[in-house]
Amino acid sequence: MDFVLVHGTTQSPASWGRVAKLLTAAGHRAIAVDLLTPEDLPVEGYAQHVRDQYDGERPVVVAHSGTGVLLPAIAEALGARSLVWAAAYIPDFTGGRCLRDEARALLEPDWIGVDPAAEPAKASEFLFHDCDPETERLALDSVRLFSPEVLATHPAGPAPEVPSTVIVPTRDRTLRPDWMRQAARERLGVTAIEIDAGHCPHLSRPAEICGILTGSRR
């Protein structure tokens, strides 16, 4: 099976390195795509940018954090078989609100205004607090901002028609776990899979994430 791994708003594709290695060892193909472009694009442009980096068919597409905004469009462009929202924003498919409209309800108050790229100590506190020292070093090396305006302002289209899995880290200090649980139920009609981790479980708990992705943990 192919897995297309989409980095979040505060990290590069390198953040998926451990998960990709485990997926490959299990006999799958893992492609960590890079969303960064010289100029900001519309949502459809980012979807095509991912399409240009993937040469297969019907992958599982996994998105982290704020790039949940892009996940439906990426999935459509790739003909995805299923979607995975990993500590990710789930758009308001029926209400038409954008991420900016929901930021106060979605984000933990102490995270608002933090720039993890400029403040490594804050990155450790909010993003990587559950990492061991070696993992924290790797995680800090992966920090890179991706924050085009479209992530904040794009209104959601229709809900995706392919199956979704939602992973909620119960110790997330950036996105509210209770918000993600409720959005999973109300917007996607699924019960979230909870994991004892912070906002970046693909770094701190890669084996558990791999197990969820491959179906060995449900």
Side-chain angles (χ1 to χ4, degrees):
M1 190 180 303
D2 285 358
F3 292 88
V4 172
L5 310 173
V6 183
H7 62 83
T9 58
T10 60
Q11 293 174 287
S12 74
S15 64
W16 285 107
R18 287 183 167 181
V19 170
K21 184 176 180 179
L22 290 171
L23 289 170
T24 300
H28 304 286
R29 191 165 72 122
I31 301 92
V33 297
D34 196 340
L35 294 173
L36 200 64
T37 55
E39 297 180 353
D40 289 356
L41 302 174
V43 165
E44 296 76 13
Y46 285 113
Q48 182 58 48
H49 184 55
V50 172
R51 172 78 264 182
D52 293 341
Q53 297 172 64
Y54 175 63
D55 62 356
E57 295 180 356
R58 302 196 66 233
V60 176
V61 184
V62 188
H64 178 240
S65 194
T67 57
V69 172
L70 305 177
L71 182 52
I74 291 172
E76 183 176 359
L78 271 56
R81 69 175 64 219
S82 63
L83 313 183
V84 181
W85 314 74
Y89 172 68
I90 300 169
D92 181 15
F93 299 112
T94 58
R97 289 172 294 182
C98 63
L99 193 157
R100 180 174 291 166
D101 296 332
E102 302 198 88
R104 291 287 175 181
L106 167 68
L107 301 177
E108 293 287 357
D110 291 342
W111 170 246
I112 296 174
V114 172
D115 180 354
E119 302 179 83
K122 292 291 188 181
S124 293
E125 177 184 355
F126 287 96
L127 299 174
F128 312 130
H129 58 92
D130 61 325
C131 294
D132 60 59
E134 179 184 357
T135 302
E136 183 181 358
R137 287 192 293 273
L138 291 171
L140 288 170
D141 286 343
S142 76
V143 171
R144 187 192 70 184
L145 295 185
F146 172 71
S147 56
E149 181 71 9
V150 70
L151 292 186
T153 60
H154 179 69
E161 296 183 359
V162 296
S164 283
T165 298
V166 177
I167 302 172
V168 173
T170 59
R171 292 192 282 146
D172 199 321
R173 293 181 178 177
T174 64
L175 305 189
R176 295 178 184 269
D178 55 349
W179 188 97
M180 289 185 279
R181 291 186 195 101
Q182 182 175 352
R185 291 192 305 270
E186 296 181 353
R187 300 181 180 185
L188 295 170
V190 301
T191 299
I193 297 174
E194 300 194 10
I195 184 170
D196 181 24
H199 186 60
C200 300
H202 50 304
L203 281 157
S204 63
R205 304 288 188 274
E208 291 182 61
I209 293 298
C210 184
I212 294 170
L213 296 181
T214 58
S216 58
R217 179 192 160 182
R218 289 290 179 184

